[in-house]
């Protein structure tokens, strides 16, 4: 009888750990976007400014994801976040020039695969999908406007970045705990293909443009719950 009870307890534990069709998994945590920036030289009205490039700094925000389990091993995840903010610099003009900053939102849709690990509290997963990055609230730094004024600008410069659509790849792991193992400690890493064109319109001077590849790693650490 004790053996039967132990086996029944093991089966209950395994079923509580395994993700089930129809479950909704919500996760949230600190998300850091670390761009692997690659940039063309800057061009002023089509003329190359040799030796120049754009660099984009890291940004951290609240990451939010929701996964709907289609089966016990396949799910669809929507990645969202509060706005990220990034400082933008220009290299190649002697000292780095603080050009400005931008905010962005990176909604991403992923198909996820959850391999079975029996009754283990660890549940890894992989995801593949598409990312849409929307840039907004672009601002030109005061130091950059001072430089443009010295070059003959007749007003403040305006910065704009094109929105981007690209591939997204994800790897993550949940550690389940608590009653019925429904609470989750979560860590994940996403790579996103983000390309944009940055333009600075300087009244009286011209338009400065560069093609920028951001291609960031997004690291997330936080909590989740299975409903």
């Amino acid at each position: 009888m004790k053996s039967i009870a132990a086996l029944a307890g093991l089966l209950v534990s395994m079923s509580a750990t395994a993700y089930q069709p129809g479950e909704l998994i919500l996760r949230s945590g600190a998300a850091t976007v670390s761009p692997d920036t690659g940039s063309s030289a800057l061009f002023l009205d089509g003329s190359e400014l040799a030796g120049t490039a754009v660099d984009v700094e890291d940004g951290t925000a609240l990451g939010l994801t929701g996964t709907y389990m289609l089966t016990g091993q396949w799910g669809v995840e929507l990645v969202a976040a509060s706005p990220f903010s990034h400082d933008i610099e220009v290299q190649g003009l002697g000292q780095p020039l603080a050009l400005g900053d931008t905010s962005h939102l990176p909604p991403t849709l992923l198909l996820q695969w959850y391999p079975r690990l029996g009754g283990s509290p660890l549940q890894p997963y992989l995801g593949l999908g598409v990312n849409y990055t929307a840039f907004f609230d672009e601002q030109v730094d005061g130091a950059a406007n001072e430089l443009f004024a010295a070059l003959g600008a007749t007003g403040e410069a305006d910065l704009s970045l094109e929105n981007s659509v690209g591939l997204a790849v994800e790897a993550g792991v949940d550690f389940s705990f608590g009653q019925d193992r429904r609470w989750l400690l979560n860590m994940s890493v996403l790579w996103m293909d983000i390309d944009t064109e940055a333009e600075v319109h300087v009244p009286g001077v011209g338009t400065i443009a560069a093609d920028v590849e951001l291609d960031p790693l997004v690291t997330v650490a936080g909590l989740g719950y299975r409903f």
Side-chain angles (χ1 to χ4, degrees), residues 49-68:
L49 304 177
T52 60
V54 174
D55 190 31
V56 180
E57 300 298 316
D58 295 358
T60 299
L62 176 65
L64 303 167
T65 70
T67 294
Y68 178 77

Side-chain angles (χ1 to χ4, degrees), residues 3 8 20 32 36 54 59 89 100 104 127 132-133 136 144 158 164 176 184 192 196 221:
S3 298
Q20 303 297 321
T32 299
D36 181 18
V54 174
E89 291 184 346
H104 83 271
Y132 177 77
T133 297
F136 61 96
D158 177 65
S164 170
S176 58
L184 309 170
M192 298 178 178
T196 185

Side-chain angles (χ1 to χ4, degrees), residues 86-190:
H86 299 270
D87 292 330
I88 303 172
E89 291 184 346
V90 172
Q91 309 286 341
L93 298 175
Q95 293 294 325
L97 172 66
L99 177 62
D101 59 79
T102 185
S103 297
H104 83 271
L105 288 172
T108 304
L109 188 64
L110 298 151
L111 178 65
Q112 296 176 312
W113 174 59
Y114 291 79
R116 292 293 197 186
L117 294 183
S120 172
L122 290 175
Q123 176 60 73
Y125 57 91
L126 300 173
L128 179 66
V130 62
N131 162 260
Y132 177 77
T133 297
F135 296 98
F136 61 96
D137 198 23
E138 299 99 328
Q139 303 289 333
V140 176
D141 192 84
N145 270 316
E146 290 178 5
L147 174 61
F148 297 145
L151 296 174
T154 57
E156 291 191 351
D158 177 65
L159 170 65
S160 63
L161 287 88
E162 284 189 353
N163 296 341
S164 170
V165 177
L167 182 70
V169 181
E170 176 186 43
V173 62
D174 292 325
F175 177 83
S176 58
F177 66 97
Q179 186 177 7
D180 297 330
R181 294 187 180 181
R182 290 194 169 273
W183 283 100
L184 309 170
L185 291 175
N186 173 258
M187 293 189 66
S188 65
V189 178
L190 294 94

Side-chain angles (χ1 to χ4, degrees), residues 40-53 90-93 208-209:
S40 70
L42 277 68
F43 287 79
L44 174 59
D45 287 342
S47 298
E48 180 178 347
L49 304 177
T52 60
V90 172
Q91 309 286 341
L93 298 175
I208 302 170

